[in-house]
Amino acid sequence: MSGTNSSNDHQELTLTVNNISNSNGVIRILLFQGPEGFPDQPKLAFQNASIKIINNKATHTFKNLPEGTYAISLFHDSQNTGKLRTNTFGIPKDGYGFSNNAASLVGAPSFEKAAFKLTKDVKQINIKLR
């Protein structure tokens, strides 16, 4: 590895999750590099993480990310079961969110709605739980 900066340099991305209803459980995050598997297939995610909640807020830094287009989906796993809890109508019981705070009327937003470009100038992203 040379010390020079080039467009191939890998970036770090710091994610902050706000508006968490309580500090129980963890926030589960999936970072996708394309629409395949978005928003809920961990096996197809580029990176994933489970992070602790401190004072209704959670922060995580992804490392070694090549520049490109990404989207994030996440949810508050308040009971640490690994699954998003839903009611009988499929409505989430715990908070969830997407990059760009993207939303859709039914189901999850598209990858395109949640997509953002990671460049040397974009290092930070905030997501507010719904």
Side-chain angles (χ1 to χ4, degrees):
M1 288 272 224
S2 69
T4 59
N5 283 338
S6 75
S7 59
N8 299 344
D9 275 356
H10 283 46
Q11 308 295 326
E12 287 189 358
L13 174 68
T14 300
L15 166 68
T16 303
V17 184
N18 299 301
N19 207 35
I20 304 169
S21 59
N22 59 56
S23 295
N24 302 337
V26 296
I27 296 290
R28 297 204 184 266
I29 308 164
L30 297 176
L31 176 72
F32 291 89
Q33 265 194 314
E36 193 178 350
F38 182 82
D40 58 2
Q41 293 181 35
K43 288 186 176 98
L44 296 173
F46 182 68
Q47 286 189 25
N48 63 57
S50 295
I51 55 174
K52 282 186 180 156
I53 303 161
I54 299 162
N55 297 328
N56 299 48
K57 196 170 157 182
T59 304
H60 179 72
T61 300
F62 290 100
K63 297 183 185 301
N64 294 322
L65 297 178
E67 288 191 1
T69 301
Y70 294 88
I72 293 172
S73 67
L74 53 80
F75 71 94
H76 180 194
D77 187 354
S78 65
Q79 297 183 346
N80 211 356
T81 60
K83 296 199 171 9
L84 176 64
R85 298 181 314 135
T86 57
N87 68 15
T88 47
F89 301 106
I91 309 291
K93 289 181 175 181
D94 288 315
Y96 62 94
F98 304 95
S99 40
N100 297 335
N101 290 307
S104 100
L105 292 173
V106 179
S110 65
F111 176 85
E112 289 72 23
K113 274 190 179 173
F116 63 94
K117 279 229 182 290
L118 177 67
T119 66
K120 62 185 184 307
D121 301 322
V122 176
K123 298 265 193 222
Q124 201 164 321
I125 188 166
N126 291 303
I127 297 178
K128 193 173 175 182
L129 284 193
R130 314 185 168 277

